Structures are given as C-alpha cells and as structure tokens.
Amino acid sequence: KITLSALLGVSLTQSIDVFEVNRSAPRPTFAAPLSNALNICYNSTATLAATTASTNELVWYDMQDGGTALATTAYNASFTTPALTASKTYYVAARQLGCTAESVRVPINVTVNPQINFAATALNNATIGTAYSKQLTAATGGTAAYTYAVAAGSTLPAGLTLSNAGLLAGMPTQAGSFTFSITVTDAKGCTATASHTLTVTNTLTLGNLVLPDGTVGLIYPTQVVPAANGGSTPYTYTAINLPAGLTFN
C-alpha cells in the first residue's frame, strides 16, 4: 500500500512510477505451545520453532541483521541449537518458497540456567550388620532446592537407601566394593550426576586365645593374639583388666 498526502489543503496532481515490488512473507509468530522465550539447563541444547504458513520456510540466524543463515527449515520444522553454556538470542525469519525476500527477523531468547556443581562424596567403609549413615556433600550452583536420587541404571549396596535429602543410610548385608551414581535435580529440573564408590567389609572378628596360667614372680611367656578378620584395616588392638605386672602392645 502506497499513500501520498500533502501538507497543504490544495489540489495537486501527483504521480509515482513503481518499477518493482517485492512482497516478503509475514514475520513468524509463536502460537502456543511455541514460545520465543526459552529456559534450558547448562550445557544442553534448545529446540526452537515458530509458526508460519505452509507456503513458507523458516530461516534461522544468530544475529539480528546480516550474517549467514544457520539453517533453513520447513514451515513446521524446528531448529536445534548447539549445547549452550551462556544465554543467547537467536532470530528467525519467514520466506516464501522459491523466493529470496525474507521477513523481518524475530528474536528468540534462550536463557541458560546456572550450572550445578556436584562432586562425589568420600564415603567411609561400611560393615555388614552395622548401621551406616553418611550425608552426601551438598550440590551448589543451579537453582535451590535440590533433591537426590540413585541414577537410572545404578543400584545401591544391599541394605542401604538414599533419601531425597542426600542421606545414605541403612545396614549393609553384602560385602564388596560397589560403584553407583547419584543424580541431583534442582528446582528448575536441571540435573548433575556423580559416581560414588563404597566398600562394604565383612563383620570384624577376633579369634579366641587360650592363655597358659602365670606364676607370681616368674616371667610370663609372650603370647600373640590371633589376627583380626573383616572390618577395615589397619587394626588397632587394646586390652583391658590385665593382671598387675603384665603389659600389652
């Protein structure tokens, strides 16, 4: 549409020569559930989409003007960004099939949520038949609050459970070295996973030692206590209520 107007209310004869008219597609819109404001987790991709007529295609950019198109997709197709570690604005234009003229570029803002930092907790050894309790080192970053869970495909040692607050507790029933992964999820649904290793030892045992009788005033022969088994090394031996004159080390 071309409109001519005069500043003065006088009758004028005006003419205009139109040599060429290019008509571009209307700018893309974002009909629900599509949106031009997205939130994604740190180091993840974003799937961008827009609404345009089936006679158009969509052209994607990472700058408002100029530059080279990142991709050209069908009217109903999406564009997937690389993994992002910082917020970024992309742009999309519509273009009629077979034409070169594009609409005005429309921005799509991608906000990257803060990174979650979650390191493995150093776990003390557990022992079969003995109550165990260890609070995992809390995650940082991300968006509080956090919940903890055993990662898909991982299994805790038999007899132990993990609370959603990150407390590993229970009474182990099987000895061995166990590796499992814990996933923390923040308030925005972003996750981080860390691998943990827990050693479960057999119950600590110490064999009986039958000691010979001693005689007052005579040197008592040295006796060696049987080696302990199970538990966690190194072992420390102590003795209580020794007869007067005897020592233990």
Side-chain angles (χ1 to χ4, degrees), residues 126-132 158-160 170-175 200-204 231:
T127 302
I128 290 178
T130 301
Y132 184 85
L160 297 182
M171 189 173 293
T173 60
Q174 181 180 353
V200 180
T201 65
N202 287 305
T203 303
L204 180 64

Side-chain angles (χ1 to χ4, degrees), residues 119-130:
T121 301
L123 301 176
N124 299 329
N125 289 354
T127 302
I128 290 178
T130 301

Side-chain angles (χ1 to χ4, degrees), residues 5-12:
S5 61
L7 296 177
L8 300 176
V10 296
S11 297
L12 294 175

Side-chain angles (χ1 to χ4, degrees), residues 29-118:
T29 59
F30 302 91
L34 304 182
S35 173
N36 63 342
L38 305 178
N39 280 269
I40 63 171
C41 297
Y42 183 87
N43 201 32
S44 63
T45 61
T47 301
L48 312 182
T51 303
T52 191
S54 61
T55 54
N56 298 336
E57 57 190 358
L58 295 171
V59 189
W60 302 90
Y61 296 90
D62 60 0
M63 56 182 61
Q64 187 172 7
D65 296 298
T68 303
L70 301 175
T72 300
T73 63
Y75 77 98
N76 59 350
S78 60
F79 168 69
T80 301
T81 71
L84 300 177
T85 57
S87 298
K88 185 177 179 67
T89 299
Y90 288 88
Y91 299 86
V92 60
R95 181 173 64 196
Q96 291 181 346
L97 295 173
C99 297
T100 57
E102 299 177 2
S103 72
V104 172
R105 298 178 190 178
V106 180
I108 302 178
N109 298 311
V110 181
T111 300
V112 177
N113 295 327
Q115 181 181 14
I116 301 173
N117 302 304
F118 181 45

